[in-house]
Amino acid sequence: MASSASADGYLGLNGAISESQTKKLTDLPAELLEHILCFPLLSHDDICNASCTCKRLRDVCHGRGKVWGHQYRLRWPRLQKYYRHNECCDWLREYRTRHTVGLQIRLTVESISKRFFTEVPCVGQVLGDSFAEIQSLGAPEHFCEDELLFILNSDKWKSLTLKYYAKKILYFLRQQNILRSLKLFLEQSPVQQSALEGAVLVDQYCNPLAEITVASISDQLEEITDKVQKMLRIKNPSHPSLRGAPDAGVCFHVDDLELQRQAVGVLNCVLYEQLQYKGNELDYYNPLNSYIHQVIQRHTGIPISLSVLYMMLARRLGVQLEPVNFPNHFLLRWCQKPNGSEDIYDFVYIDAFGQGKQLTAKECEYLIGHQVTADYYSAISTTEVLLRMVGNLLNIGKRGEGNEKSYQLLRDSLDLYLTINPDNVQYLLLQARLYFHLGIWPEKVLDILQHIQALDPSQHGAVGYLVQHTLEHIQHKKQPVQPEVKRRSAAEHVDVRYAAGLVMKHKRSGYNCVIYGWDPKCTMSQEWISTMRVNQLSSGADQPFYNVLVQDGTCRYAAQENLEPHEDPLEIGHPEVGRYFSEFSNTHYVANEELETRYPEDMSETLCTVRRLYHRLLPSSGGNQSQAQETAEPAEQQAMPM
């Protein structure tokens, strides 16, 4: 009884409450009320309700106060880095804006799914109109990114389609920001441009979902520099490199050539012997060799990426090296004259790919097997270094297998190259052909072709062909095509044994996969059927074939007789799973709305199969059959052997 009365007063001697000494919650000091209202279990709804009860609590919960600041930090902790410590701002307004942006982002993500499922538009093309509404809110861009990250980091197996699109949008938005940063970088004078910053921008653009920053890469370079300085201190305690500039951005120079040799010798020892850096001869055309964060992480790379790393480390030790655009093998040059020189024989050339080996001008020619003119020994600018780096990635993309990963690399590297050198007709034409081949953003293709025609009228033949077919594609898009619906109950589908969403195993190849489509008979060309030796199967091409997403990231077309349900269903780590499925339900994948529209009777068949085969894995209350209303972008499908 005493505790129940204590909220408003206390009991007198006669058991009555003494009104003259009654105390209310609102009589507490503002600091204590704020402390109470910042209790972690209270939500923003609770704070809104409290502020509506009386003027006192409304004043305590004012927009610039501690309570709404706490709510903001509690709900969106990633955004704290954008505010100064103890910054005073209207937290209630920030909360409302961030909440509104979050709702709009989710609507945008959900709205693009149907279009992505039926055709292959570019993300930027689809987002144009949708994001105009978000931009009209006047909210910071990082609000959009934070909501997308929130979606991606939600429940692992659920909302797969929503996550699929959120990832694509985040990829696109980050790339746009990186391109803006690259353009600002290119506007700097050559003296201001840092090869490290340029390499990081290339890395970021090709890996926009990775957390890569100049600061984090610089910290890793400082760790290597510390190791070099420790070893150098043993050899020469008074070496000037030990007193090097504390700020890595500040350039200093060791004048004495012998002292430079000591620093370079120790750098080679630490980098190649202690840390085991080496050129990646066995997997030379792996794009990871070109990304500076991967070079540092994997301790391997190609000549240009290792040269950039080596050059930046040498600079921290007071040794100024210059990049040399040597054909087929990027090098660094090190002047051996105190006052500088332009004579190619006054330089030592360093092969960072070859364990830091020091070469004469003549020995450099042995690397490539033929003589070159003196021009090839000249130092190049940071912009030219970036063009060579991006050119390597372009060549890797062109060498690719024609799958989505190689196409994405080709698109990314073309974007970078044409940002640096926007009037390169050869690569503009390649970009137009790539977009045309993939069937994406035909309006963009026309813009590119118009630019090519203005730069080089002699290309009118190739340009005219692409313009004609692009216009036909645009006209075709105006005539919507109804999706093909396949019902299992149809007489021609009587032999189809498996359904979309089942996790399967290939009997011959042993790979794990999930079904996302099927045909009652093989629909591939006779050439494909012959190449894949389909006729050697017991039922040949006259049996159901299934479109499957394989664990290794490929899309394959498999014969029914080669597939069997997996005895212990597992999650399939394919990047396109979210295009077709809304969630993984422990035993099977749940088709999203668009896939279910095309195979309306498959979900019930999948559930019947699951109950028959995996009853031991099902929860007593039955599996989760929730459906997400999202779809995804078509992937490039690579037809593989059965």
Side-chain angles (χ1 to χ4, degrees), residues 116 120-125 168 171-172 175-176 179 205-206 390 393-394 396-398 403-419 427 430-436 438-441 444 633-634 636:
F116 262 99
V120 195
C122 176
V123 178
Q125 175 190 6
K168 284 185 174 296
Y171 194 102
F172 170 78
Q175 282 194 327
Q176 297 312 297
L179 276 187
Y205 192 79
C206 295
V390 175
L393 289 169
L394 259 170
I396 294 171
K398 288 190 286 187
N403 54 27
E404 187 185 8
K405 185 178 291 187
S406 62
Y407 282 135
Q408 186 64 59
L409 177 60
L410 194 53
R411 286 174 60 184
D412 290 345
S413 51
L414 278 170
D415 287 345
L416 287 168
Y417 198 99
L418 292 171
T419 299
Y427 286 134
L430 177 60
Q431 186 179 56
R433 284 172 172 158
L434 177 64
Y435 276 40
F436 177 78
L438 296 178
I440 59 177
W441 213 343
K444 173 85 169 179
E633 176 184 59
E636 290 296 322

Side-chain angles (χ1 to χ4, degrees), residues 194-203 217 221 224 267 271-272 277 289-293 295-296 301-316 319 321-324 330-332 350-353 380-382 384-390 392:
S194 160
L196 177 63
E197 184 180 353
V200 169
L201 285 168
V202 170
D203 193 345
I217 299 297
L221 293 187
I224 300 175
L267 173 58
L271 200 61
Y272 298 110
Y277 275 80
N289 295 326
S290 296
Y291 306 141
I292 192 68
H293 87 281
V295 172
I296 295 174
I302 54 177
I304 191 168
S305 56
L306 289 171
S307 291
V308 169
L309 175 67
Y310 194 104
M311 181 171 63
M312 301 313 297
L313 290 170
R315 186 166 297 178
R316 282 165 162 77
V319 181
L321 305 178
E322 298 173 298
V324 177
F330 201 86
L331 297 170
L332 298 170
I350 296 178
D351 180 10
F353 186 81
I380 60 172
S381 67
T382 298
E384 291 172 302
V385 172
L386 296 189
L387 282 174
R388 173 100 175 227
M389 292 185 79
V390 175
N392 288 337

Side-chain angles (χ1 to χ4, degrees), residues 533-558:
R533 301 188 296 277
V534 173
N535 293 325
Q536 294 181 15
L537 298 172
S538 60
S539 299
D542 191 27
Q543 63 175 307
F545 271 69
Y546 297 84
N547 300 106
V548 294
L549 301 175
V550 184
Q551 185 77 40
D552 63 6
T554 59
C555 303
R556 306 196 187 192
Y557 196 51

Side-chain angles (χ1 to χ4, degrees), residues 435-610:
Y435 276 40
F436 177 78
H437 173 71
L438 296 178
I440 59 177
W441 213 343
E443 296 79 9
K444 173 85 169 179
V445 174
L446 292 178
D447 289 341
I448 297 170
L449 295 173
Q450 186 177 11
H451 185 45
I452 293 171
Q453 189 66 34
L455 291 171
D456 185 2
S458 68
Q459 297 289 337
H460 63 87
V463 168
Y465 174 84
L466 287 172
V467 166
Q468 177 186 346
H469 286 80
T470 301
L471 290 173
E472 291 175 359
H473 177 62
I474 292 174
Q475 190 63 32
H476 179 72
K477 282 175 58 180
K478 295 178 181 178
Q479 304 169 0
V481 178
Q482 292 299 321
E484 181 185 5
V485 176
K486 295 181 180 178
R487 299 183 181 277
R488 307 180 65 82
S489 57
E492 64 269 23
H493 300 154
V494 67
D495 293 329
V496 178
R497 189 181 308 163
Y498 306 122
L502 287 176
V503 178
M504 311 295 287
K505 184 166 185 150
H506 196 278
K507 296 177 183 177
R508 289 184 174 183
S509 303
Y511 61 71
N512 303 318
C513 59
V514 57
I515 296 172
Y516 68 93
W518 47 259
D519 297 309
K521 311 292 180 188
C522 181
T523 60
M524 300 298 278
S525 66
Q526 284 299 319
E527 181 182 0
W528 186 90
I529 290 173
S530 175
T531 302
M532 300 304 168
R533 301 188 296 277
V534 173
N535 293 325
Q536 294 181 15
L537 298 172
S538 60
S539 299
D542 191 27
Q543 63 175 307
F545 271 69
Y546 297 84
N547 300 106
V548 294
L549 301 175
V550 184
Q551 185 77 40
D552 63 6
T554 59
C555 303
R556 306 196 187 192
Y557 196 51
Q560 180 166 278
E561 68 180 72
N562 281 338
L563 292 176
E564 62 183 355
H566 202 287
E567 61 181 15
D568 189 14
L570 72 168
E571 188 178 10
I572 302 299
H574 193 287
E576 296 297 308
V577 160
R579 178 191 172 204
Y580 305 100
F581 304 104
S582 60
E583 67 177 87
F584 178 60
S585 188
N586 195 42
T587 55
H588 64 285
Y589 278 89
V590 178
N592 61 22
E593 184 179 342
E594 279 65 41
L595 185 64
E596 191 169 12
T597 298
R598 285 151 180 75
Y599 298 92
E601 298 172 353
D602 268 38
M603 199 62 220
S604 58
E605 179 66 24
T606 297
L607 291 175
C608 288
T609 303
V610 165

